[in-house]
Amino acid sequence: MIAIFKKELWSYFGNWSAWIIIAAFSLIVTLFLFFFDNDSNIFEIGMASLQSYFVLVPWLLMFIIPALSMKTFAEEQQTGTLNWLFSQPLKVSDLVLGKFLSVWVVGILCLIPSLIYLYTVYVLGVPAGNIDLGMTFGSYIGLIILIAAFSGVGILASSLSQNQIMAYLLGVFMCFIMYFGIEQLASYKLLGGADFILQNVGFYQHFLGFTRGLIDFKDVAYFVFIIGVTLVLSNHFINKKK
């Protein structure tokens, strides 16, 4: 697993793809938070808070994480190297976990430049330091866990697909449905009392708790369950390709 993890990390950073993705992600976030005229602009909000950052980032991650994960298995199958990996003395579960961890780590690295935003908001507050650090750090933890969930979904999409384009489109679709689609469907209140259950099936409500600074065991357990399910299913579909 460690060997696969290192190999995947090198494939991201060795050809500049990870650097480009991190730079593009940071540039887009910076433009929305400080320059573009929109509801996420920190100067227009007039509050020493990164709340708009934590609202914006999940939407970008829906596109970034599938872009990172699409090649994990789809490319291996497309180029024929998946059969070579099957011939090596490693378990499929190690293969899945190694690729999952590499995507998760690169996704987390996308958040590192945001520490500049945190420092900026901290300094610009009146008085300086007038920011809810508990809510901020809780939101960061929520984002790290959400990236893991998106990574698991992306790995599953790649294991189901024959090529990278299909893996990317399927990954974006599945991430969108899990984060926003289920939440919106539940908001129509078509199922009566079952709407509450449906609402808690999706990512949004569980991530929302973290953005309020609340690290609830139920929310953590939910994401751990989702990650586990996606990885088990990925393992199953890769085994079927042997």
Side-chain angles (χ1 to χ4, degrees):
M1 183 187 73
I2 295 175
I4 293 295
F5 172 65
K6 290 179 178 179
K7 169 186 171 294
E8 290 297 311
L9 275 186
W10 174 250
S11 72
Y12 287 124
F13 289 100
N15 62 5
W16 296 93
S17 59
W19 300 107
I20 293 172
I21 287 175
I22 293 172
F25 177 85
S26 301
L27 176 61
I28 293 171
V29 172
T30 301
L31 291 174
F32 272 95
L33 291 184
F34 297 101
F35 295 97
F36 289 167
D37 185 11
N38 64 95
D39 294 336
S40 298
N41 191 299
I42 291 176
F43 294 124
E44 292 189 9
I45 294 173
M47 293 177 59
S49 172
L50 279 181
Q51 198 64 20
S52 56
Y53 172 80
F54 299 115
V55 172
L56 174 64
V57 165
W59 288 94
L60 297 178
L61 291 174
M62 285 183 206
F63 299 93
I64 296 294
I65 300 301
L68 292 169
S69 63
M70 66 181 183
K71 77 180 193 67
T72 50
F73 289 109
E75 183 186 46
E76 302 278 14
Q77 185 168 347
Q78 197 172 5
T79 58
T81 54
L82 188 59
N83 290 328
W84 177 81
L85 285 172
F86 288 152
S87 68
Q88 301 305 303
L90 53 86
K91 299 178 183 177
V92 172
S93 58
D94 292 337
L95 188 62
V96 171
L97 281 173
K99 288 178 176 288
F100 163 76
L101 289 174
S102 66
V103 175
W104 188 17
V105 167
V106 177
I108 292 173
L109 291 177
C110 288
L111 304 180
I112 300 300
S114 69
L115 296 178
I116 299 174
Y117 313 145
L118 177 60
Y119 175 76
T120 302
V121 172
Y122 186 89
V123 171
L124 291 179
V126 181
N130 183 28
I131 181 174
D132 190 337
L133 292 177
M135 184 176 68
T136 301
F137 289 126
S139 299
Y140 271 113
I141 292 172
L143 274 183
I144 290 172
I145 296 175
L146 184 64
I147 290 171
F150 280 157
S151 299
V153 172
I155 294 289
L156 176 59
S158 187
S159 69
L160 289 168
S161 305
Q162 301 292 326
N163 58 72
Q164 294 187 65
I165 295 175
M166 181 60 68
Y168 177 72
L169 294 176
L170 181 60
V172 171
F173 174 75
M174 291 170 66
C175 288
F176 174 82
I177 291 298
M178 290 301 297
Y179 182 77
F180 186 72
I182 293 176
E183 174 67 21
Q184 281 298 104
L185 185 60
S187 70
Y188 289 121
K189 303 189 183 303
L190 301 175
L191 303 177
D195 285 318
F196 176 76
I197 298 175
L198 179 62
Q199 198 173 42
N200 282 276
V201 171
F203 292 170
Y204 181 79
Q205 283 298 319
H206 297 280
F207 174 68
L208 197 62
F210 289 100
T211 63
R212 295 167 178 161
L214 303 174
I215 303 176
D216 195 317
F217 172 77
K218 291 186 294 184
D219 295 329
V220 175
Y222 164 82
F223 280 114
V224 170
F225 173 76
I226 291 293
I227 294 165
V229 168
T230 55
L231 295 183
V232 167
L233 288 175
S234 299
N235 187 81
H236 170 72
F237 289 119
I238 294 302
N239 266 314
K240 288 184 68 176
K241 295 181 180 181
K242 275 190 172 183

